[in-house]
Amino acid sequence: MKRFSGKFCSVLALFVIIAAASPGCRSGVPETASGKPAPLLLISIDGLRHDYIGQFDSPALDRMIDEGLYADSLMQVFPTKTFAAHYSLVTGLYPGTHGVVANSMWDPQRRQFFSMRNRKAVSDGFWFQGGEPIWVTAERQGLTAATFFWPGSEAMIKRTRPTYWRSYDGRVSHTRRINQALDWLALPDSDRPDLITLYFSRVDSRAHRDGPAADSVFAAAAEIDRQLGRLLDALENTGRLDEINIIVVSDHGMSAVSRQRTIVLDGHLDLTRVRVSDWGPAAQIWATRMPAEKIVAALEDVPHLRVWAKQAIPERYHFGRHQRVPDVLAEADPGWLISSRQRMSRPDSPAGMHGWDPALAEMHGIFIARGPGFIPGSRSPAMASVDVYSLMARLLGLKPAKNEGRPDSFLPYLNGSGPSPAYEVRHFDCSGTRLEVRTGPEHAAVHLAPHIFVLERSGKNTFRHADLEFRMENNTAQGRLDGQTLSRCRRQYSEE
Ligand code: AMP
Ligand code: ZN
Ligand code: ZN
């Protein structure tokens, strides 16, 4: 197993005075020679579904998997949309808390729309003030942050911006993005960013246009992997690769859609009497000239659609609270979309989409990390994206802002916490419903097709999240998952 050359805080901790004065030491993770925390590079490959790994040529990601921590997948947040999910990744908050509730949203107090395509809106801190992104936490605690694109990074949040940041321009070549990260990392320690974010959109855009499993999607993923390989090689050639923590994530997966699987909302609802602030897998509906109960009543029997009044949205979505969450939420079945006659008349119709329930396996993204902070060669069950913020704060030696993630999930996989943690797989048959439970030291992923639920360990054999719970005995299990009671679950040995 590969050894890292970083200087470890556990060694430094012997020197109590030095340790107390050194912010990186609070986290128990390595620092660079100058005493700064190891730089952290956070890379998002938009729309890279977890099961794409292995389906395209990916020597760079494969190397990171072999030498770092690889989670089976990354469960995102509701809605599984780019702005909402990226902001959860960097704040550890659900969209229902941070308030970036979609790519398009309505604020009832300001009486204003947000669209990610509106330049003024994306750089207006008003929309992002419900959360503290990691670059703000870093800057406020004396570190330097740089963003080469990330939703929210152009806005002033808590009077803070990253020291280095860029206005979003999807035309900037991938080569330039990687070169800029390398240039930043090569700066003298006094100017060098401690945190860098990079963002790549092409996998997502190809999958929207051509469908989730199109050749063009895998070609785009392979090209980004080549760029990542260039980054790893350049860092290795200058002897810095093992001093940098790199986390690669994606913000959601992708499902196939078609015009034939579309619910035309005006067939069921008078659209002049409501406001719809977001369309697609889920519609966010405001009761403007019609009460919420009537909207729910009008939609509750529509095939391929589930509808909730704001207060009845499933607890595990963590979506009901914020003022920007509408009076009524409607979600189409996986692979189905919600549209209107007017929207259907537009010529472009996507072949791939995302935005449904984050627990659907097809909506899970990726998590792959490598560097001095991670136990090489470790593998974990699916992780939750709200846990990534506190992981990053820990790697950077920062005190995290209040958040909804669990720092414990990632802890066993961090350097200094012993050997590569256990990963157990058990199969159960619950009166005909088959499920697979993958457990790590602090969490479990319950694979119950078409979902993968990520639960936190709450006892020796018990796991929970929101209203979900699961308990395993030796050969039996029981639980409640998404309104479904799982009882008389018998362990199946033949498949292991
Ligand atoms: P989605 O519609 O959820 O698939 O969003 C993906 C798109 O978000 C990308 O293709 C970009 O056009 C857009 N995007 C990503 N990051 C930003 C940003 N920081 N500012 C504006 N637009 C962005
Ligand atoms: Zn996205
Ligand atoms: Zn997309």
Side-chain angles (χ1 to χ4, degrees), residues 46-47 81-83 86 199 204 251-252 354:
D46 199 312
K81 287 284 189 174
T82 297
F83 263 62
H86 274 94
Y199 168 81
D204 177 79
D251 56 340
H252 48 73
H354 50 86

Side-chain angles (χ1 to χ4, degrees), residues 49-198:
R49 199 168 78 189
H50 68 100
D51 60 339
Y52 289 177
I53 303 292
Q55 296 193 58
F56 63 97
D57 196 25
S58 56
L61 286 172
D62 294 348
R63 175 176 182 183
M64 287 187 61
I65 287 169
D66 288 346
E67 298 175 351
L69 165 61
Y70 174 35
D72 289 344
S73 63
L74 187 64
M75 186 178 81
Q76 286 292 343
V77 290
F78 183 84
T80 44
K81 287 284 189 174
T82 297
F83 263 62
H86 274 94
Y87 209 52
S88 288
L89 275 162
V90 293
T91 59
L93 299 171
Y94 292 97
T97 307
H98 61 56
V100 182
V101 297
N103 292 341
S104 305
M105 53 187 166
W106 166 254
D107 188 279
Q109 279 172 12
R110 214 192 215 196
R111 301 198 58 72
Q112 211 172 67
F113 268 112
F114 171 97
S115 158
M116 70 172 179
R117 312 221 178 270
N118 178 334
R119 290 241 62 87
K120 220 171 129 223
V122 297
S123 56
D124 180 351
F126 169 78
W127 297 100
F128 302 95
Q129 65 191 356
E132 179 175 306
I134 187 70
W135 57 82
V136 171
T137 310
E139 294 276 351
R140 282 165 65 121
Q141 294 179 43
L143 298 187
T144 303
T147 50
F148 206 147
F149 306 152
W150 199 276
S153 64
E154 293 155 59
M156 184 79 89
I157 301 165
K158 296 195 177 176
R159 298 163 174 265
T160 309
R161 275 207 177 90
T163 299
Y164 311 95
W165 60 277
R166 301 293 175 101
S167 286
Y168 185 71
D169 179 356
R171 294 164 306 182
V172 175
S173 73
H174 293 176
T175 305
R176 264 189 64 197
R177 301 179 201 201
I178 294 288
N179 287 352
Q180 178 63 79
L182 286 167
D183 288 349
W184 275 329
L185 287 167
L187 286 172
D189 257 13
S190 51
D191 299 329
R192 172 181 57 70
D194 302 285
L195 166 72
I196 297 171
T197 72
L198 289 176

Side-chain angles (χ1 to χ4, degrees), residues 350-467:
M353 191 47 77
H354 50 86
W356 296 271
D357 179 354
L360 287 166
E362 287 200 341
M363 290 300 104
H364 279 232
I366 59 162
F367 179 95
I368 302 168
R370 180 202 187 280
F374 297 93
I375 298 177
S378 42
R379 174 93 191 229
S380 86
M383 285 289 189
S385 75
V386 286
D387 296 343
V388 173
Y389 169 78
S390 52
L391 165 69
M392 294 193 292
R394 186 175 184 90
L395 291 170
L396 289 169
L398 298 169
K399 183 172 180 297
K402 203 163 163 251
N403 67 85
E404 297 171 296
R406 273 182 85 243
D408 289 0
S409 316
F410 279 103
L411 268 188
Y413 305 95
L414 300 187
N415 250 340
S417 2
S420 196
Y423 174 118
E424 276 184 38
V425 182
R426 296 185 201 180
H427 295 93
F428 293 94
D429 186 324
C430 312
S431 317
T433 304
R434 299 165 82 80
L435 54 93
E436 183 179 321
V437 184
R438 303 183 184 180
T439 51
E442 292 294 337
H443 77 295
V446 178
H447 293 234
L448 175 60
H451 293 96
I452 303 172
F453 298 98
V454 177
L455 309 184
E456 298 117 29
R457 190 184 284 278
S458 55
K460 189 161 174 284
N461 287 313
T462 53
F463 299 89
R464 269 178 207 288
H465 180 80
D467 53 347

